[in-house]
Amino acid sequence: DSGVTQTPKHLITATGQRVTLRCSPRSGDLSVYWYQQSLDQGLQFLIQYYNGEERAKGNILERFSAQQFPDLHSELNLSSLELGDSALYFCASSVEGGTGKETQYFGPGTRLLVL
Amino acid sequence: AQSVAQPEDQVNVAEGNPLTVKCTYSVSGNPYLFWYVQYPNRGLQFLLKYITGDNLVKGSYGFEAEFNKSQTSFHLKKPSALVSDSALYFCAVRDSDSGAGSYQLTFGKGTKLSVIP
């Protein structure tokens, strides 16, 4: 158990809908990262937050957005869902207080299925 | 830009034999290299990392990895494979020159390791 929690574990929804994925980082970690894992694209970085502020953006669609709250938990919002958004979404966290050498610890993921 | 390649989609090894999972990388600065393992329906678990220093890094569950700067490689190894090692293995890299505050990892496509009893 990495100490990173994600809810829900599974999510089934329809095209066009909007969903919210939640992540709680390890105690003491200030950074949260979101990744998408799909069969065709592999594991792709979406976005990073550090202590409430956006720090880096990867291959995140405009239909997707995220935020990190004062208690450091993070939410990933996916809207206007398409079939191709079906994937496993991971959250990771790190201390992020130093030089970027810190290990990222991953949560168990949320499996999203868009029908 | 940073990138990582895992040239083998699948590696099969007999139980008790040594195993190697290959990884090569490309960065403009110095690499920070990581190995993760993913079991079915689970998240990624951290195995080991190379930041600097000794080229041979020891990690969890008896795994080790050798950093080779001239060959830009960071192969994962274990002297004696167990059936329970069967999983998906990911190599990841972060470029030390990626810029202040941007600490994203770039992952390889993954290598499926099957240890045959």
Side-chain angles (χ1 to χ4, degrees):
Chain A
D1 184 2
S2 67
V4 178
T5 60
Q6 290 186 248
T7 57
K9 288 186 178 180
H10 303 277
L11 202 47
I12 302 175
T13 188
T15 54
Q17 294 298 304
R18 171 190 172 95
V19 297
T20 297
L21 282 53
R22 181 188 170 103
C23 168
S24 293
R26 296 187 319 155
S27 177
D29 284 0
L30 298 178
S31 254
V32 169
Y33 311 77
W34 286 97
Y35 291 87
Q36 180 193 59
Q37 185 180 36
S38 61
L39 285 176
D40 55 344
Q41 296 292 325
L43 198 62
Q44 295 223 324
F45 168 74
L46 295 178
I47 197 165
Q48 173 196 355
Y49 277 82
Y50 172 69
N51 205 21
E53 294 187 2
E54 181 185 305
R55 178 158 282 194
K57 258 186 176 180
N59 300 320
I60 188 167
L61 300 172
E62 286 191 9
R63 300 182 285 109
F64 296 180
S65 64
Q67 54 184 326
Q68 186 179 28
F69 295 86
D71 67 352
L72 300 177
H73 91 270
S74 177
E75 293 181 357
L76 178 67
N77 300 298
L78 315 176
S79 62
S80 303
L81 285 167
E82 302 175 359
L83 296 177
D85 297 327
S86 296
L88 195 51
Y89 292 84
F90 286 111
C91 166
S93 73
S94 71
V95 171
E96 192 68 358
T99 58
K101 304 171 184 175
E102 294 86 358
T103 300
Q104 291 181 25
Y105 292 92
F106 282 74
T110 293
R111 186 171 295 277
L112 174 66
L113 179 59
V114 183
L115 300 176
Chain B
Q2 58 194 36
S3 65
V4 62
Q6 293 181 242
E8 301 157 318
D9 291 336
Q10 177 143 0
V11 170
N12 297 321
V13 63
E15 186 177 22
N17 282 3
L19 68 87
T20 298
V21 183
K22 296 180 180 178
C23 171
T24 58
Y25 67 89
S26 176
V27 295
S28 56
N30 292 312
Y32 302 148
L33 293 155
F34 301 78
W35 275 103
Y36 287 84
V37 60
Q38 185 179 25
Y39 296 98
N41 300 314
R42 302 284 296 276
L44 277 70
Q45 294 180 30
F46 169 71
L47 282 178
L48 51 80
K49 68 180 179 183
Y50 171 83
I51 302 299
T52 187
D54 194 348
N55 289 343
L56 186 63
V57 180
K58 294 189 182 297
S60 306
Y61 313 119
F63 284 93
E64 58 189 29
E66 186 169 10
F67 172 65
N68 188 318
K69 188 171 184 177
S70 63
Q71 297 186 5
T72 62
S73 67
F74 188 56
H75 300 331
L76 181 70
K77 300 180 180 183
K78 187 173 183 181
S80 179
L82 300 172
V83 173
S84 57
D85 293 330
S86 298
L88 191 56
Y89 290 80
F90 290 94
C91 181
V93 68
R94 182 188 295 139
D95 191 340
S96 65
D97 284 353
S98 61
S102 174
Y103 304 137
Q104 64 190 77
L105 288 173
T106 296
F107 283 85
K109 292 291 187 184
T111 298
K112 182 178 180 181
L113 174 68
S114 293
V115 181
I116 303 161

